[in-house]
Amino acid sequence: MKSVRIFNGDLARAARALVGVSAQYVANESNLTREELRNFEKGLHDLSLEAQERVEQSLSSLGAVFIADGPDSGYGVRLRFARGKINSIGRWEGEGGPTAEDDV
């Protein structure tokens, strides 16, 4: 089974919540009305493929990463770490000195 890219209203709403922006902002960035976007998110209205791509691109540019449905995991959305946070995580991993055998 190969990976399948999925983008729907549920993912759009979840991604918008993750990146913390309003429906009006995403609608403006995607050249849609707020009502068109909200109806898509609620499953009441379909958007053209071009409009869906604009919504997805808008959310991706804000840090949403869309995960394809595949044999090893289901589809979804997650928040991308900013490069600064990745560098911080690298520093945190080295805190406390090198790892050693635990004799507890």
Side-chain angles (χ1 to χ4, degrees):
M1 180 176 158
K2 70 177 198 173
S3 294
V4 177
R5 183 185 160 278
I6 295 175
F7 184 76
N8 58 31
D10 291 333
L11 283 178
R13 186 174 58 242
R16 192 169 56 76
L18 280 174
V19 299
V21 295
S22 68
Q24 186 64 56
Y25 180 84
V26 174
N28 289 344
E29 293 295 309
S30 305
N31 198 28
L32 299 170
T33 66
R34 180 184 178 281
E35 292 74 27
E36 287 174 321
L37 177 65
R38 292 295 289 144
N39 286 337
F40 172 66
E41 290 179 347
K42 293 176 185 177
L44 301 175
H45 175 70
D46 286 331
L47 295 176
S48 68
L49 289 177
E50 295 82 17
Q52 288 183 38
E53 288 173 3
R54 290 193 310 265
V55 171
E56 185 176 358
Q57 178 57 43
S58 173
L59 293 165
S60 293
S61 71
L62 295 168
V65 176
F66 296 94
I67 302 163
D69 190 21
D72 299 325
S73 66
Y75 69 94
V77 61
R78 70 174 183 84
L79 190 58
R80 176 182 54 219
F81 284 116
R83 183 163 301 283
K85 289 192 181 205
I86 291 171
N87 292 336
S88 294
I89 291 170
R91 284 193 309 272
W92 296 335
E93 288 178 346
E95 284 186 5
T99 60
E101 188 68 31
D102 189 3
D103 293 329
V104 175

